[in-house]
Amino acid sequence: MKQIRKKQSRIIPPRTILILAAAAALIMGTVVFFVLRGNTQDPPSEIHTASEYVTVLGTYTLDDIASVTITPPDGKAYTLLSQNGTLIYAEDPSFPLRSGITELIAANICAVRSENTVLDTAEHPIKLADFGLDPCSCMCSFQLTDGTVNTIRIGNQIVGGEIPYYYFMWNSDTRIFAGGTDMYSAFSYDRSFLHTVTQPSVNTDILGAVEIKGQNTLSLRYTDIGWQIASPFSYPADPNLMTGYLTNLSHILFSRYICQAEDADLKALGLEDPLLTLTVTEAESVLTVPDTSGNFHTYPVPETRSVFLFGANYDEYSRYVEYEGAIYTATFYLTDFLFGVSAKDLCLPSPFNLDIYQLTGLEAVSPSVRVRYDIVLTEQVGLNGALVTDEMGNTLYDCSVLRNGEGMDAESFLAWYATCLRPVTPSGFFAGPSTQETEPAVSFTLFGEKSKRTVSFYKNGLQYLMYVDGTCLFFVSSQVVEQLFPLP
């Protein structure tokens, strides 16, 4: 009997993703920039050769600093106070600040570092405007407890080098220095970025359903034979594309906290009648955790549902989002796929592409024949009574097949399924309109433990229309259908 490797059942079955594995890698590489930054800058000036290396221009502790005033590129300055070794918002000490931003600001005022000296304006008269320093792109002034005020003015990005430094000037020093990107980042966050942001968490391992309404319509649900498109039509979803799609869902992040929803003018923000509503449902599951003695305990986790409401544009890079009673912004970069990916973009072209372990049965029906195959997988047991596993620890199974209730050669069925049925792919898209005025030439229904999928072929000239769960998107050649016979 042919050995069948069946994936082990798990408490929370992982369905780690792939739509665009490149998209996931691109997101991970750029997400911080696009989430925390929604602006670009003017083209940088040409690089000027450094003549001298300078390490540190000033060293302080937060206890030495009384306050810091930052003027970001939008020109709207704000002040932070230094108290008890941390920075707080001067206008409202209870205002919760993002620790990542305050730590970055603190690091760049406690150690003012120059990577290189670009030139000395006293020796080489130049126009500061050519370096983005008059006016400057952003500025930081911090006052010490002794009353001394230090000022950092940052200009354009330096081009041409391997590291994207920025021009900057320190106090009344006549030299122009090269500063790191962290310095520019620290002093270019506008006020809207300061408030802490509660980021959403979408656990794709236990995701059971995704629903989109509004400017796009798409409903997806997970079944025991894979992801299924439920609306605007019924069709199996491509597992590879779903991998990428779900990865994108898990990467939805908010840029800014705006306010609580109850304090917002929802109509003005386009949230009274949202442009798009996203609902994600995490299925009921079981959590298993060990205690200090190594004993495992299980806890039921109920189904949870998260709702995102997407409204009007905040600026040219992001839009308003309402989530769990608060208003945030999210970049187009991370959320446009919700508006642009349609059901047809996720369809599975090869509807028979299921592993045999996912099936409990298969039925073939034509005007002249009806055959039902029942597939039974039995765990292999060794001489010692233990389950037999492969090198990866997966349990091995023996497969037996019943044909219309009677035993048959499982090898012939598995060979037919693997070489004839499973590889069936469309010959092209069917533009329609399609009708089902006659009986199908043949239909195949694949049964899982809880779900089923029906694929029907209708004669249409020299080709066959392929209906999957009642929806026709593709056609196949006559040769593709004819090679499915004779049935095993």
Side-chain angles (χ1 to χ4, degrees):
M1 188 66 66
K2 184 174 182 178
Q3 293 183 347
I4 302 296
R5 297 185 180 183
K6 181 177 181 181
K7 291 186 180 177
Q8 293 176 305
S9 60
R10 303 174 66 169
I11 292 172
I12 300 178
R15 303 193 291 277
T16 315
I17 234 175
L18 288 174
I19 223 182
L20 316 165
L26 181 61
I27 288 176
M28 294 305 295
T30 57
V31 67
V32 173
F33 178 84
F34 281 99
V35 168
L36 294 182
R37 182 89 47 242
N39 58 333
T40 56
Q41 12 176 29
D42 293 332
S45 304
E46 294 182 1
I47 190 170
H48 291 252
T49 304
S51 58
E52 180 184 355
Y53 182 80
V54 179
T55 54
V56 175
L57 299 174
T59 304
Y60 314 94
T61 68
L62 280 181
D63 291 336
D64 300 324
I65 298 171
S67 65
V68 52
T69 298
I70 294 174
T71 306
D74 69 2
K76 299 176 181 178
Y78 56 87
T79 298
L80 306 176
L81 303 179
S82 175
Q83 292 185 5
N84 302 319
T86 189
L87 296 175
I88 62 173
Y89 191 44
E91 293 183 20
D92 180 6
S94 65
F95 190 85
L97 298 175
R98 288 192 190 184
S99 58
I101 293 179
T102 56
E103 290 168 2
L104 185 62
I105 292 172
N108 280 276
I109 58 178
C110 289
V112 182
R113 175 186 176 88
S114 165
E115 304 300 335
N116 282 293
T117 298
V118 178
L119 57 81
D120 190 333
T121 60
E123 301 175 0
H124 305 280
I126 51 87
K127 293 182 180 180
L128 291 180
D130 292 339
F131 297 81
L133 291 163
D134 185 24
C136 59
S137 296
C138 55
M139 181 174 67
C140 169
S141 295
F142 58 99
Q143 182 175 342
L144 305 182
T145 54
D146 64 6
T148 303
V149 176
N150 292 315
T151 301
I152 301 170
R153 291 179 293 151
I154 300 179
N156 292 340
Q157 188 178 66
I158 303 174
V159 299
E162 294 183 359
I163 302 176
Y165 293 136
Y166 284 80
Y167 298 113
F168 81 93
M169 299 191 76
W170 167 247
N171 291 332
S172 58
D173 198 309
T174 58
R175 291 173 293 178
I176 295 178
F177 302 105
T181 55
D182 61 328
M183 176 185 286
Y184 175 82
S185 295
F187 307 140
S188 61
Y189 290 110
D190 63 58
R191 190 190 308 257
S192 68
F193 283 106
L194 296 181
H195 195 288
T196 54
V197 172
T198 301
Q199 295 293 0
S201 176
V202 178
N203 187 346
T204 59
D205 286 343
I206 57 174
L207 204 60
V210 178
E211 184 175 19
I212 294 174
K213 295 181 178 180
Q215 290 191 352
N216 191 13
T217 299
L218 176 62
S219 180
L220 302 158
R221 60 183 178 87
Y222 186 74
T223 74
D224 56 322
I225 56 174
W227 279 94
Q228 180 80 13
I229 298 167
S231 179
F233 51 79
S234 178
Y235 213 85
D238 187 304
N240 290 336
L241 297 179
M242 281 303 303
T243 293
Y245 191 85
L246 298 180
T247 293
N248 290 343
L249 279 178
S250 70
H251 288 157
I252 293 177
L253 298 173
F254 301 139
S255 306
R256 305 170 176 84
Y257 167 87
I258 302 299
C259 64
Q260 290 300 112
E262 60 187 8
D263 299 324
D265 183 346
L266 297 180
K267 184 175 182 179
L269 304 184
L271 292 168
E272 187 174 77
D273 184 17
L275 298 180
L276 184 142
T277 299
L278 165 68
T279 303
V280 293
T281 302
E282 293 181 359
E284 180 180 320
S285 58
V286 176
L287 178 66
T288 302
V289 294
D291 59 22
T292 55
S293 301
N295 298 316
F296 287 87
H297 304 272
T298 59
Y299 304 92
V301 179
E303 177 183 285
T304 59
R305 185 169 296 169
S306 299
V307 180
F308 301 76
L309 306 178
F310 294 86
N313 293 352
Y314 172 83
D315 55 21
E316 59 183 312
Y317 305 101
S318 57
R319 52 173 56 95
Y320 290 104
V321 186
E322 181 180 345
Y323 175 73
E324 293 188 345
I327 309 298
Y328 303 92
T329 66
T331 63
F332 301 147
Y333 181 78
L334 296 182
T335 58
D336 269 355
F337 77 98
L338 297 170
F339 293 78
V341 177
S342 69
K344 286 188 176 182
D345 296 324
L346 297 174
C347 286
L348 174 65
S350 306
F352 298 108
N353 190 19
L354 291 170
D355 291 325
I356 197 69
Y357 71 81
Q358 294 177 274
L359 302 178
T360 60
L362 186 151
E363 185 175 57
V365 179
S366 73
S368 60
V369 67
R370 177 185 293 268
V371 180
R372 166 77 188 216
Y373 301 94
D374 291 297
I375 302 166
V376 181
L377 300 181
T378 306
E379 296 170 334
Q380 293 185 14
V381 180
L383 296 177
N384 60 357
L387 295 178
V388 179
T389 61
D390 64 10
E391 64 278 4
M392 301 299 293
N394 299 312
T395 300
L396 296 181
Y397 292 77
D398 286 325
C399 177
S400 59
V401 180
L402 299 178
R403 187 183 192 275
N404 291 335
E406 298 182 1
M408 66 168 292
D409 178 19
E411 291 288 349
S412 63
F413 173 82
L414 293 174
W416 172 80
Y417 182 79
T419 60
C420 297
L421 191 63
R422 186 170 179 175
V424 168
T425 54
S427 302
F429 287 98
F430 179 68
S434 62
T435 59
Q436 298 180 359
E437 297 178 353
T438 61
E439 289 295 315
V442 63
S443 291
F444 295 92
T445 300
L446 298 89
F447 296 91
E449 291 183 2
K450 299 179 181 179
S451 308
K452 66 179 181 178
R453 177 182 301 169
T454 299
V455 184
S456 302
F457 297 96
Y458 288 80
K459 186 70 173 176
N460 184 44
L462 299 178
Q463 62 196 22
Y464 287 85
L465 303 184
M466 184 172 70
Y467 282 79
V468 183
D469 293 331
T471 300
C472 180
L473 298 177
F474 305 98
F475 68 86
V476 299
S477 67
S478 298
Q479 182 181 2
V480 168
V481 175
E482 290 166 0
Q483 72 180 8
L484 301 178
F485 297 92
L487 297 174

